[in-house]
Amino acid sequence: MRFLIHMSTSEEAGSLARMLRLWTWSTCADMETELWSPGASGPAIVIWDLDAGLPPSGMVSSASTALLVCSSRTQAAIDSYSLHPDGFLQKPVRQSALFTALRRCAKLWWDSLERLEITSDRCRIRLPLCDLVWVESTRRNSLVHSTQGPIATREALTALEGRLPRGLFLRCQRSFLVNLRHVRRLDSEGLCMSDGAVVPLSRSSRSEVAEAYRQFCLLWDGGKGDGETRYG
């Protein structure tokens, strides 16, 4: 699965490519980002700048392709109806608006998601990594908190940690591991997660966790300040 980019300038294409790489990493999706070229085909999400002209007729002609259009002209949103796009993005494209548009294309990239296989009550569950919110240790077992609900497994937290990508998943202390993408803020109580839970921090771990979260926020915001994470 690929992202195909067609923008007016190389600077705009570069900015969009950086946002897409961040989305791919934080969503744990196996997606490539390429510049569009004539003859490009196959499963793809195409992002097309209408300021550079209309896309070729019939470019988006199958259920395996989605079209996101963008322009600096608000009128272009109405003009693009004939193209039946999956979303319209106002230029300059903001990270939050792009990520919202990508959620509407989930049926295309869903199969590209990396998954964690968990055994629970003799059932095998293949959980998309982006749906893993946090994990807590329960003696020799673990309780995985996901967007789909809690999943109990006999696998130790350390073993689970070893199967997750570093940088995105953080062992914040001995008994807890969090997906930094699901942290909404860090306060005096601990890490406030997207599911409403608060993961407590010990005094010894707080400084290191705070720095890791600060670095993640800097990466996520990318200097634009339009992400959801908050530090302080």
Side-chain angles (χ1 to χ4, degrees):
M1 191 69 190
R2 297 170 298 162
F3 291 115
L4 293 177
I5 302 173
H6 184 276
M7 299 296 287
S8 297
T9 68
S10 58
E11 290 78 9
E12 290 174 327
S15 175
L16 194 58
R18 286 190 293 273
M19 287 188 278
L20 289 172
R21 285 194 292 269
L22 176 60
W23 179 90
T24 298
W25 172 73
S26 64
T27 308
C28 299
D30 184 13
M31 301 279 289
E32 298 180 352
T33 301
E34 304 173 12
L35 294 179
W36 179 86
S37 61
S41 61
I45 296 176
V46 181
I47 305 176
W48 191 277
D49 184 358
L50 294 177
D51 294 349
L54 294 175
S57 177
M59 183 182 68
V60 182
S61 58
S62 71
S64 64
T65 307
L67 175 64
L68 301 177
V69 295
C70 57
S71 175
S72 57
R73 299 179 295 109
T74 55
Q75 178 63 32
I78 298 175
D79 297 340
S80 67
Y81 285 167
S82 60
L83 301 172
H84 305 291
D86 295 272
F88 175 82
L89 299 167
Q90 180 72 40
K91 291 172 55 179
V93 177
R94 290 178 61 83
Q95 178 176 292
S96 55
L98 174 62
F99 290 5
T100 296
L102 290 177
R103 284 197 290 269
R104 294 196 291 269
C105 305
K107 63 181 180 181
L108 289 182
W109 48 259
W110 186 255
D111 289 340
S112 299
L113 294 177
E114 297 178 34
R115 288 169 163 79
L116 178 70
E117 190 169 286
I118 305 171
T119 301
S120 179
D121 288 335
R122 299 182 182 179
C123 295
R124 286 188 177 181
I125 300 170
R126 298 188 69 244
L127 178 70
L129 295 187
C130 60
D131 285 346
L132 194 163
V133 181
W134 61 289
V135 188
E136 62 179 312
S137 176
T138 57
R139 296 184 179 180
R140 296 183 179 179
N141 306 327
S142 300
L143 184 62
V144 177
H145 296 268
S146 76
T147 60
Q148 304 170 25
I151 304 169
T153 177
R154 292 186 177 180
E155 190 168 357
L157 182 59
T158 300
L160 287 174
E161 180 187 13
R163 296 199 286 135
L164 296 171
R166 294 185 178 181
L168 183 60
F169 290 88
L170 175 67
R171 183 77 172 267
C172 54
Q173 59 170 304
R174 183 175 181 179
S175 300
F176 298 100
L177 179 149
V178 300
N179 182 345
L180 289 172
R181 181 64 186 89
H182 282 281
V183 176
R184 290 297 171 260
R185 66 183 183 276
L186 169 62
D187 60 22
S188 59
E189 299 297 321
L191 294 170
C192 301
M193 309 303 296
S194 61
D195 63 355
V198 177
V199 176
L201 298 175
S202 64
R203 289 184 178 180
S204 59
S205 66
R206 187 175 184 85
S207 178
E208 183 177 350
V209 171
E211 177 59 21
Y213 181 55
R214 188 184 72 85
Q215 292 295 333
F216 177 81
C217 289
L218 290 174
L219 174 65
W220 183 257
D221 289 344
K224 298 179 179 64
D226 64 350
E228 295 177 330
T229 51
R230 283 186 289 166
Y231 175 79

